[in-house]
Amino acid sequence: DAGITQSPRHKVTETGTPVTLRCHQTENHRYMYWYRQDPGHGLRLIHYSYGVKDTDKGEVSDGYSVSRSKTEDFLLTLESATSSQTSVYFCATISPLQGGELFFGEGSRLTVL
Amino acid sequence: SQQGEEDPQALSIQEGENATMNCSYKTSINNLQWYRQNSGRGLVHLILIRSNEREKHSGRLRVTLDTSKKSSSLLITASRAADTASYFCATAKSSGTYKYIFGTGTRLKVLA
């Protein structure tokens, strides 16, 4: 267990508003990830980070930005939320030196009306 | 498009039977991992197999990897109702980026 906490766990917002989801980890893992999960699509990688201030795009990065100013926090921002971004968002971390398995948070359910 | 694709998309079996699900991927990989997700929860790691391994066991789980066919299979033996969940494979390219891409998953239902 990498002590991953996602906040908020549930959020309802309106189209066009900015939204920020936070992922906090307590294990000092170097890599952090944001995925979204939608029916029929499994998990799709949005962005990931390989260190403080080091991030890279995933499969579905359009409309999302991320920031990592501290090892323990990885923020996902929707600058102007759209209904297509209604989804469940999962944060994950990995420590390659400790086996390479991903540890997941419990998810954040976002509804954009 | 996603790196991994699982099949079948859904599988329904009786308790005690074996369940097999498959994962195909597109590029050379460093390792392949299988995860389980209970409804509405985060994913939990099951097993990791490296590109130079062909088979791995963990309890009732058996994973095989065929890099020539770019495919893997997960076998759950003597299934239980508690095995009901979705199962996903995840791969990272062999370039060492740790950019893990997941497949679409297999929904397994084990009937008591």
Side-chain angles (χ1 to χ4, degrees), chain A residues 6 9 37 43 88-91 104-109, chain B residues 35-44 85-86 88:
Chain A
Q6 292 186 227
R9 293 289 314 279
Q37 185 173 32
L43 275 81
V88 180
Y89 292 85
F90 286 97
C91 174
F104 281 84
E106 288 298 310
S108 295
R109 183 175 295 275
Chain B
Y35 288 82
R36 165 194 170 127
Q37 183 183 35
N38 289 91
S39 181
R41 305 297 300 276
L43 279 72
V44 175
S86 291
F88 296 88

Side-chain angles (χ1 to χ4, degrees), chain B residues 33-53:
Chain B
Q33 304 187 34
W34 285 91
Y35 288 82
R36 165 194 170 127
Q37 183 183 35
N38 289 91
S39 181
R41 305 297 300 276
L43 279 72
V44 175
H45 180 262
L46 294 176
I47 196 165
L48 180 154
I49 186 165
R50 302 196 184 282
S51 58
N52 60 353
E53 298 175 311

Side-chain angles (χ1 to χ4, degrees), chain A residues 31 33 35 37 40-45 48 56-59 90 94 96 99-106 109, chain B residues 1-3 31 33 35 37 40-45 48 50 88 90 96-105:
Chain A
Y31 288 79
Y33 304 77
Y35 291 91
Q37 185 173 32
H41 290 279
L43 275 81
R44 291 180 290 176
L45 179 64
Y48 73 109
D56 199 2
K57 295 180 179 180
E59 304 167 274
F90 286 97
I94 195 172
E101 66 183 86
L102 287 158
F103 297 93
F104 281 84
E106 288 298 310
R109 183 175 295 275
Chain B
S1 62
Q2 291 180 262
Q3 165 79 322
N31 66 67
Q33 304 187 34
Y35 288 82
Q37 183 183 35
R41 305 297 300 276
L43 279 72
V44 175
H45 180 262
L48 180 154
R50 302 196 184 282
F88 296 88
T97 61
Y98 299 103
K99 186 175 179 178
Y100 280 95
I101 303 297
F102 281 77
T104 51

Side-chain angles (χ1 to χ4, degrees), chain A:
Chain A
D1 183 0
I4 299 171
T5 305
Q6 292 186 227
S7 60
R9 293 289 314 279
H10 300 272
K11 185 173 182 66
V12 180
T13 191
E14 295 189 348
T15 297
T17 60
V19 176
T20 294
L21 305 179
R22 179 184 183 234
C23 178
H24 179 79
Q25 57 128 339
T26 60
E27 295 296 316
N28 204 36
H29 286 174
R30 178 182 171 189
Y31 288 79
M32 298 186 74
Y33 304 77
W34 276 109
Y35 291 91
R36 60 177 288 175
Q37 185 173 32
D38 306 287
H41 290 279
L43 275 81
R44 291 180 290 176
L45 179 64
I46 304 172
H47 282 281
Y48 73 109
S49 169
Y50 46 96
V52 173
K53 294 189 181 355
D54 292 323
T55 65
D56 199 2
K57 295 180 179 180
E59 304 167 274
V60 289
S61 58
D62 288 347
Y64 301 95
S65 62
V66 290
S67 66
R68 190 159 177 212
S69 58
K70 298 184 290 184
T71 299
E72 57 266 35
D73 289 326
F74 192 33
L75 303 180
L76 177 70
T77 298
L78 291 65
E79 301 289 348
S80 177
T82 67
S83 58
S84 65
Q85 293 175 312
T86 292
S87 186
V88 180
Y89 292 85
F90 286 97
C91 174
T93 71
I94 195 172
S95 176
L97 297 178
Q98 296 175 13
E101 66 183 86
L102 287 158
F103 297 93
F104 281 84
E106 288 298 310
S108 295
R109 183 175 295 275
L110 175 67
T111 301
V112 183
L113 302 175

